[in-house]
């Protein structure tokens, strides 16, 4: 179970780096489609700034997941991975209820699976 938890941690980190890339460097058309937003909205300067800001947060979250993979496996590392997955779950729930329902599938489901496997690995 610990190996599966480790792999899921890597996958969650990679997922958030992909989301970061879409938010920072995606074309407005790609961003509008990926995030279920009107293209006219995504092209506005305040929306562009907001997407970049969100991208930085998602990049930091992804980097933190991957950074924990460089640390020795111990109870503290496990707790940090679980906390990060918990943050993803909370943010995914908020996004799913307020932005687009597909966030439930893209963020919440992987977070729930990771938390469950992490709990079993403990």
């Amino acid at each position: 179970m610990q190996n599966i938890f480790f792999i899921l941690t890597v996958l969650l980190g990679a997922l958030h780096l992909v989301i970061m890339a879409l938010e920072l460097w995606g074309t407005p058309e790609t961003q509008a489609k990926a995030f279920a937003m009107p293209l006219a909205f995504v092209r506005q300067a305040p929306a562009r700034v907001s997407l970049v800001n969100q991208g930085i947060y998602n990049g930091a979250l992804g980097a933190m997941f991957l950074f924990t993979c460089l640390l020795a496996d111990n109870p503290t590392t496990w707790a940090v991975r679980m906390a990060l997955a918990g943050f993803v779950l909370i943010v995914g729930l908020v996004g799913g209820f307020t932005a687009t329902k597909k966030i439930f599938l893209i963020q919440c489901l992987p977070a729930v699976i990771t938390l469950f496997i992490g709990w079993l690995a403990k």
Side-chain angles (χ1 to χ4, degrees):
M1 279 300 153
Q2 287 184 345
N3 288 340
I4 295 171
F5 183 50
F6 181 87
I7 291 167
L8 291 172
T9 299
V10 171
L11 291 175
L12 272 178
L15 171 65
H16 282 82
L17 293 179
V18 169
I19 294 169
M20 174 201 73
L22 281 170
E23 290 169 336
L24 292 180
W25 303 299
T27 64
E29 293 78 16
T30 304
Q31 292 169 331
K33 184 177 178 184
F35 303 120
M37 292 190 260
L39 181 57
F41 172 75
V42 174
R43 287 188 169 148
Q44 295 176 14
R48 309 287 316 144
V49 170
S50 181
L51 283 167
V52 168
N53 190 30
Q54 286 178 220
I56 297 299
Y57 280 99
N58 276 305
L61 184 57
M64 288 305 302
F65 271 114
L66 297 178
F67 178 72
T68 67
C69 296
L70 301 175
L71 303 175
D73 271 336
N74 60 50
T76 302
T77 304
W78 175 86
V80 170
R81 289 176 183 160
M82 291 293 284
L84 289 170
F87 295 151
V88 170
L89 176 59
I90 292 166
V91 171
L93 288 170
V94 171
F97 285 117
T98 61
T100 176
K101 301 294 182 230
K102 69 181 179 181
I103 292 176
F104 289 127
L105 179 64
I106 294 169
Q107 280 187 302
C108 289
L109 184 59
V112 166
I113 292 168
T114 302
L115 286 165
F116 179 71
I117 297 298
W119 176 73
L120 291 177
K122 183 69 172 158

